[in-house]
Amino acid sequence: MNIKIKSILKNKLLIFGLIIALFGAYLHLPKYFEAYFAPLAILSFDELWISLDSSWLIALNHANVNNLTWGTDIAFTYGPLSYLTTRVGWGVNKIDFILYDAFVFLNFFLVYFLSIKNSKNKWVTILLVIGNCLLIQIYIGATHSLILLAFLVFWIRLSLDKPKWIYYVFQIVIVVLLFFIKFNTGLIALPLFLAGLFCNGFYKKEKYYLLLFYTIIPFLLIYTLCKILNVQLLPYVQSALEIISGYNDVMFLEHQKNNRLLALFIFIATLFILIHKLVIADKANRMKYLIVLFIYGLPLFVFYKSGFVRGMEADYFIYVSLIILVINDLHFDNFKKYSGLLILVCLSISIYFIYVMQKTPIPVKDKLDKYYFSAIKEYEPTLKLAEIPEANKLPADILQKIGKSTIDVYPWNIQMLMENKLNYSPRPVIQAYTAYTPYLEEMNFNHFNSTKAPQFVLYDYTSIDYRYPLFDESKVNLCITKNYEIASYFDYQGRKVILFEKKKDFSPIQLIKSDEYAMNANSPLIPKEGVYYEVGVYNSVIGKLYSIFNNAPEMKIEINAGDAFQREYHIGKKLLETGLFSDKYIKDTHDFHKLFNNDSLQTLMPIKSYKFKFINNNYFKDKIRITEYKITQ
């Protein structure tokens, strides 16, 4: 009788799990079919950052539409299939969106249902599924790559218990998608995929020729798709790695210590469960649990780093529960064991952070066909810019002057160019704030220092995160000062904007090395006119370790213009390696404009020295290296 009751209850729970899985997968469908861009009413420099994200979203599709080569013509962590997650439909066949959404729906359903079905601790697993439905919002957007990564971990973990060809099909599809959607996440996906194959090879759970076949297939698909998607493989990988390497160095923001402690609790508590299982496991299964620890720990570490480097703590707490769900070792055991309770505590922390601390409204799923199916019928693969008369329209004389000529924008407002239907000709690293390593800066310098340079540049002198605007793309700014002239200086939305035009006597710049020397880190650098400086700052061993588990050690550059003026700006080690120049202090666009007028040039504040200040001296070496280049044409 007891066995029969248990069987009935089990089936009822399974039916309940099926309903939850279907409803949960439905909740995660996009709220709308494609992205729509409203005009940006930017009124001042303080609000210019508003145009930053929408601009790169548009620029990624612009690259595909104009057949730019990924890795050489455009360098970004997102790739040619990024539109699948950004939902920008410009130049995209609607079938792509439909197939991708169906694939994501299927993955969510299978993750939820199979987790509930196979769990010996169904109520904990069901609560995890419900928690994920609450945490993962209706519109996921560009962070969708983290969802795909979690799906990959799920299929790898299943294949470690009982390998099936279908599990490998899901893994291969996800690995290839991630490589072309968002390379930095794709970079993590490959070692996870290979680790799962290695484990099954180690335990001889699969025939070796099949494992070799599964290993080769994604690489063959990536190589083939590079040809189809217009990707130069090695430059694509190199440029994305450069963006990743520099992100930790200069793009970090401050975070509340309590938020970090909550995240670390989840990190440490869940790792403790897996490490405990590894220790008590019999010798025959130790390698398997080491692999499980790896395929869980690496994504969790990436979630932590991405969440606590650049103001995206919420992303960590939203997606960590999905990673916990897909690793069945964390919640499949009987509830009498400690792991189930600990997992529910971790889930509660995430829900508390999102809905109490962040005050996020509970998501409500609108009627799907209102925003999705009706949009399919009306879909056109065009850029969806709201047509509001005179919104962000440039002055008529400016538009007439530019005409059909090529134009770029500094530092990032690409959407403004699109709204004015101008002939956008991007530099490879499309926005100034991301050209923060020597490799990336050199890509843009080579572009602006050649016949590829655009005829016009719309210029706002500004930056983000309290950085000195002249040192974002120092070499590009140098090119503009030497090879462009002012075509117009005009009022636009409450601020001054410069329209630069390329000189008829355009002459490439040469940087000729003239000196190299070491100096004490706290010594001032006295700039000379006509000299370009590359600054090498070096982390100590402690500083290198700190940057692994945190952002890079913080540093600032102090600009001294005599006793009356000192100003500090945020800067990074790699950004300093790209170089700096100028013995004049440039405060705003008006000052930058003065550089092109000999009379007003004299009114600019002269810089007495640059000084590099470390927030914690223990994280840096005592000496820095200065390389001087003579600027010639």
Side-chain angles (χ1 to χ4, degrees):
M1 183 68 180
N2 288 337
I3 296 173
K4 190 174 182 181
I5 291 171
K6 285 182 180 179
S7 178
I8 293 170
L9 288 173
K10 185 178 178 181
N11 289 334
K12 284 185 176 179
L13 273 178
L14 203 58
I15 293 170
F16 183 51
L18 176 65
I19 294 169
I20 290 175
L22 283 169
F23 186 66
Y26 162 75
L27 285 177
H28 299 314
L29 282 170
K31 187 175 180 179
Y32 50 83
F33 191 67
E34 61 175 321
Y36 190 85
F37 296 92
L40 300 171
I42 300 165
L43 303 175
S44 69
F45 283 112
D46 293 336
E47 297 173 318
L48 269 172
W49 62 270
I50 297 171
S51 65
L52 193 152
D53 285 336
S54 61
S55 290
W56 67 255
L57 287 167
I58 291 170
L60 295 179
N61 283 63
H62 174 273
N64 282 337
V65 169
N66 290 275
N67 296 314
L68 300 185
T69 302
W70 293 83
T72 54
D73 294 332
I74 182 168
F76 213 70
T77 51
Y78 286 93
L81 296 183
S82 55
Y83 60 84
L84 293 173
T85 58
T86 64
R87 306 300 295 195
V88 179
W90 184 20
V92 178
N93 191 315
K94 64 183 177 182
I95 298 300
D96 293 8
F97 285 144
I98 294 169
L99 289 176
Y100 180 74
D101 292 341
F103 180 73
V104 171
F105 178 89
L106 179 62
N107 272 271
F108 265 121
F109 169 71
L110 291 174
V111 166
Y112 288 165
F113 179 67
L114 293 179
S115 294
I116 295 171
K117 177 179 179 292
N118 297 328
S119 178
K120 296 176 183 177
N121 191 13
K122 285 187 169 36
W123 280 113
V124 172
T125 303
I126 285 171
L127 288 173
L128 261 177
V129 171
I130 294 171
N132 274 283
C133 292
L134 286 172
L135 288 166
I136 300 173
Q137 303 296 295
I138 294 166
Y139 173 66
I140 298 167
T143 53
H144 213 289
S145 59
L146 301 179
I147 300 289
L148 291 176
L149 186 64
F151 292 161
L152 175 66
V153 171
F154 175 77
W155 295 113
I156 293 172
R157 182 63 192 89
L158 280 188
S159 70
L160 298 185
D161 288 333
K162 190 175 181 182
K164 293 182 180 179
W165 66 268
I166 190 64
Y167 298 165
Y168 291 114
V169 169
F170 275 102
Q171 290 176 55
I172 290 167
V173 171
I174 292 169
V175 165
V176 174
L177 278 175
L178 280 174
F179 189 87
F180 293 108
I181 288 174
K182 200 169 193 295
F183 175 77
N184 53 345
T185 313
L187 184 67
I188 303 156
L190 280 168
L192 296 178
F193 171 71
L194 294 174
L197 292 174
F198 169 79
C199 186
N200 285 337
F202 182 87
Y203 285 108
K204 298 180 181 179
K205 288 189 175 182
E206 193 68 89
K207 293 176 181 177
Y208 285 116
Y209 69 85
L210 281 176
L211 289 175
L212 182 62
F213 174 75
Y214 294 139
T215 303
I216 293 172
I217 284 296
F219 291 97
L220 285 177
L221 287 172
I222 286 170
Y223 179 79
T224 303
L225 285 171
C226 279
K227 305 292 184 184
I228 297 170
L229 298 173
N230 208 18
V231 175
Q232 283 285 338
L233 182 58
L234 291 180
Y236 177 71
V237 172
Q238 176 68 38
S239 59
L241 286 173
E242 287 289 325
I243 293 174
I244 295 166
S245 71
Y247 196 88
N248 194 58
D249 187 55
V250 75
M251 292 291 289
F252 60 86
L253 295 174
E254 291 296 323
H255 300 275
Q256 291 186 18
K257 187 177 290 186
N258 289 342
N259 296 351
R260 191 183 289 271
L261 289 175
L262 287 173
L264 284 172
F265 175 83
I266 296 174
F267 193 15
I268 294 168
T270 50
L271 284 180
F272 171 76
I273 296 172
L274 292 180
I275 292 170
H276 185 201
K277 291 197 172 189
L278 173 65
V279 171
I280 65 173
D282 58 90
K283 290 182 180 179
N285 284 315
R286 290 247 168 99
M287 178 58 72
K288 176 181 174 180
Y289 275 106
L290 275 173
I291 298 296
V292 170
L293 192 63
F294 175 71
I295 66 172
Y296 174 71
L298 182 59
L300 191 63
F301 177 72
V302 170
F303 282 21
Y304 173 77
K305 285 285 284 187
S306 63
F308 288 88
V309 169
R310 180 95 194 149
M312 296 190 296
E313 302 106 314
D315 285 350
Y316 174 88
F317 290 102
I318 287 170
Y319 299 118
V320 71
S321 293
L322 183 57
I323 286 289
I324 291 171
L325 175 67
V326 298
I327 294 291
N328 56 41
D329 310 84
L330 291 168
H331 59 94
F332 271 28
D333 289 341
N334 190 285
F335 186 65
K336 291 178 182 178
K337 295 188 178 180
Y338 69 92
S339 58
L341 181 60
L342 201 52
I343 290 307
L344 290 180
V345 170
C346 292
L347 176 63
S348 300
I349 288 172
S350 288
I351 292 174
Y352 175 80
F353 181 87
I354 296 300
Y355 288 105
V356 179
M357 296 178 68
Q358 296 283 303
K359 298 180 180 178
T360 304
I362 295 176
V364 178
K365 185 70 175 179
D366 290 304
K367 200 177 172 188
L368 186 64
D369 59 352
K370 179 180 178 182
Y371 298 102
Y372 191 88
F373 292 118
S374 61
I376 294 176
K377 298 175 185 177
E378 301 167 2
Y379 179 82
E380 292 291 338
T382 56
L383 180 58
K384 301 301 187 296
L385 289 170
E387 295 185 4
I388 299 177
E390 307 302 317
N392 293 333
K393 191 172 181 64
L394 290 165
D397 60 320
I398 299 298
L399 292 174
Q400 186 177 9
K401 191 170 292 187
I402 298 168
K404 299 296 182 182
S405 299
T406 56
I407 187 168
D408 198 357
V409 62
Y410 186 95
W412 56 65
N413 194 358
I414 299 161
Q415 181 171 338
M416 176 176 62
L417 301 184
M418 297 301 177
E419 287 176 345
N420 285 276
K421 297 180 174 56
L422 297 174
N423 184 14
Y424 172 46
S425 176
R427 55 202 185 277
V429 185
I430 55 177
Q431 294 176 312
Y433 71 97
T434 49
Y436 39 49
T437 75
Y439 179 91
L440 298 171
E441 174 72 347
E442 202 66 23
M443 289 183 76
N444 282 0
F445 175 60
N446 291 337
H447 178 84
F448 260 86
N449 205 34
S450 69
T451 54
K452 293 181 180 179
Q455 185 64 27
F456 290 94
V457 178
L458 266 172
Y459 193 97
D460 277 301
Y461 184 82
T462 190
S463 186
I464 61 171
D465 302 340
Y466 307 104
R467 283 151 59 171
Y468 187 48
L470 192 67
F471 296 164
D472 284 347
E473 295 192 273
S474 292
K475 289 181 180 177
V476 168
N477 276 307
L478 180 61
C479 287
I480 290 172
T481 61
K482 297 294 183 183
N483 278 320
Y484 283 79
E485 58 191 2
I486 293 174
S488 185
Y489 182 51
F490 61 98
D491 292 302
Y492 180 64
Q493 293 189 336
R495 66 184 192 275
K496 288 288 187 181
V497 176
I498 305 173
L499 177 66
F500 286 110
E501 185 173 9
K502 188 161 58 176
K503 290 180 180 178
K504 292 180 181 178
D505 58 345
F506 177 96
S507 177
I509 295 168
Q510 289 184 312
L511 298 175
I512 300 173
K513 186 175 178 180
S514 58
D515 200 2
E516 186 175 10
Y517 51 91
M519 57 185 277
N520 290 325
N522 59 357
S523 298
L525 174 64
I526 301 170
K528 294 175 281 189
E529 185 180 357
V531 175
Y532 193 89
Y533 300 89
E534 290 178 354
V535 181
V537 176
Y538 306 98
N539 290 127
S540 64
V541 174
I542 297 174
K544 289 176 182 177
L545 290 173
Y546 176 86
S547 66
I548 293 173
F549 299 100
N550 210 314
N551 48 259
E554 189 176 357
M555 61 182 300
K556 296 182 183 295
I557 184 168
E558 182 182 88
I559 299 176
N560 297 285
D563 297 334
F565 182 87
Q566 290 182 339
R567 183 82 179 267
E568 287 185 355
Y569 292 92
H570 176 58
I571 203 160
K573 184 168 66 75
K574 288 183 179 292
L575 193 57
L576 278 175
E577 290 172 9
T578 68
L580 56 90
F581 75 102
S582 185
D583 59 346
K584 305 290 185 184
Y585 175 68
I586 311 298
K587 185 177 83 169
D588 51 26
T589 306
H590 186 60
D591 277 0
F592 197 80
H593 175 263
K594 290 180 180 179
L595 286 175
F596 297 82
N597 188 314
N598 288 331
D599 293 333
S600 59
L601 179 62
Q602 305 306 316
T603 66
L604 288 173
M605 194 180 298
I607 294 175
K608 302 296 183 183
S609 69
Y610 295 109
K611 192 172 181 180
F612 312 104
K613 304 180 72 173
F614 306 142
I615 303 305
N616 190 324
N617 290 326
N618 293 326
Y619 294 151
F620 296 89
K621 293 185 177 180
D622 295 333
K623 298 287 186 180
I624 62 176
R625 180 161 295 279
I626 307 295
T627 307
E628 294 185 2
Y629 297 86
K630 185 180 179 182
I631 301 169
T632 63
Q633 281 183 289

